[in-house]
Amino acid sequence: MKILVVEDETSLAQQLRAALTEAGYAVDSAVEGERADFLAQTEQYDLVVLDLGLPKIDGLTLLRKWREAGLVTPVLILTARGSWHEKVQGIDSGADDYVSKPFRMEEVLARLRALLRRAGGQLTPELRAGKVTLDPRQARVTLDGALVRLTSHEFRVLSYLMHQRGRVVSQMELIEHIYAQDFDRDSNTIEVFIARLRRKLGNSFIETVRGLGYRIE
Ligand code: CA
């Protein structure tokens, strides 16, 4: 899953980036509105964390623009402390949830997991398919209850497929959702990740749909 963090306070942006990467997400960041707008319109994000007070173009303007353009990506806004009107305006402009500053990183992560879950039509905090369970709270994967060790990219591939369970996902789509924007992308590596995941989780766990992509049932 790939997340865009839009925050102009450098230290906070770095903390968010570090925490999200640690939690198993691919992360891009922007420190001002124009860059955020460019990234949101050119990259495929699963979620955007958007600070409302930004230089150049403010967060509310961006959000309204994105929604008018038909962008359906879930947006979690960061609002100033005690500013109830900012929350109301944010939600009325198309935000899906908010966190007030200052916040605990755990709260941002929990709200973000809930939004990703809902976007994928999942009800439970753990994602399950057959004998495999993926817990986004700890970035943990188990097979038949036993912990399975995955590299960060293997985890991202599995997490995306599990969030899209039942749907065929193309290689191109996987690439869009597991790599940050500045990462060298190579479609051959997807095949390598899938092969490694099959070795660890069972050969039939990820189905290949000829000419279309991959699917977890
Ligand atoms: Ca700000």
Side-chain angles (χ1 to χ4, degrees):
M1 310 295 270
K2 185 158 73 172
I3 296 175
L4 173 62
V5 172
V6 189
E7 169 58 71
D8 59 317
E9 288 167 50
T10 321
S11 72
L12 187 54
Q14 276 167 0
Q15 285 170 40
L16 281 162
R17 193 186 180 104
L20 293 176
T21 306
E22 170 79 27
Y25 303 105
V27 186
D28 285 340
S29 36
V31 294
E32 42 83 7
E34 277 175 13
R35 175 75 181 155
D37 193 27
F38 171 76
L39 286 172
Q41 314 244 21
T42 52
E43 295 284 313
Q44 301 290 317
Y45 295 105
D46 295 291
L47 188 135
V48 179
V49 177
L50 177 66
D51 179 36
L52 291 187
L54 291 172
K56 296 193 188 176
I57 311 176
D58 70 272
L60 278 178
T61 306
L62 270 182
L63 188 53
R64 289 185 188 123
K65 185 178 172 198
W66 291 343
R67 292 313 188 213
E68 272 163 28
L71 197 83
V72 295
T73 313
V75 174
L76 175 67
I77 51 171
L78 305 177
T79 65
R81 177 184 4 210
S83 175
W84 65 266
H85 58 269
E86 223 179 62
K87 295 170 196 161
V88 172
Q89 275 185 316
I91 290 167
D92 280 344
S93 301
D96 298 275
D97 201 359
Y98 67 86
V99 177
S100 298
K101 291 179 177 180
F103 50 75
R104 296 279 311 192
M105 201 55 81
E106 288 88 343
E107 184 181 356
V108 173
L109 289 168
R111 290 185 183 276
L112 183 148
R113 285 191 297 269
L115 290 175
L116 291 173
R117 205 154 68 211
R118 232 176 286 152
Q122 303 272 354
L123 299 174
T124 55
E126 289 183 335
L127 309 180
R128 290 200 188 90
K131 293 175 178 168
V132 176
T133 302
L134 184 147
D135 190 341
R137 292 168 294 189
Q138 291 146 331
R140 241 171 79 106
V141 174
T142 58
L143 172 65
D144 247 342
L147 187 67
V148 180
R149 297 206 180 281
L150 299 180
T151 65
S152 63
H153 281 101
E154 288 164 15
F155 179 83
R156 289 180 195 173
V157 169
L158 181 67
S159 174
Y160 190 73
L161 288 174
M162 295 276 279
H163 275 91
Q164 307 295 323
R165 205 179 64 178
R167 196 167 75 72
V168 180
V169 176
S170 71
Q171 269 198 8
M172 197 48 80
E173 185 178 342
L174 269 175
I175 289 170
E176 287 286 349
H177 290 266
I178 69 159
Y179 292 123
Q181 188 254 345
D182 54 1
F183 200 89
D184 243 346
R185 300 166 191 202
D186 176 3
S187 64
N188 293 326
T189 57
I190 296 290
E191 284 170 30
V192 175
F193 295 145
I194 295 281
R196 287 199 218 138
L197 284 169
R198 282 179 175 147
R199 268 204 298 280
K200 294 177 181 182
L201 302 171
N203 245 331
S204 58
F205 182 64
I206 300 170
E207 186 191 344
T208 297
V209 183
R210 285 263 164 259
L212 295 175
Y214 305 102
R215 174 169 58 198
I216 290 176
E217 278 298 352

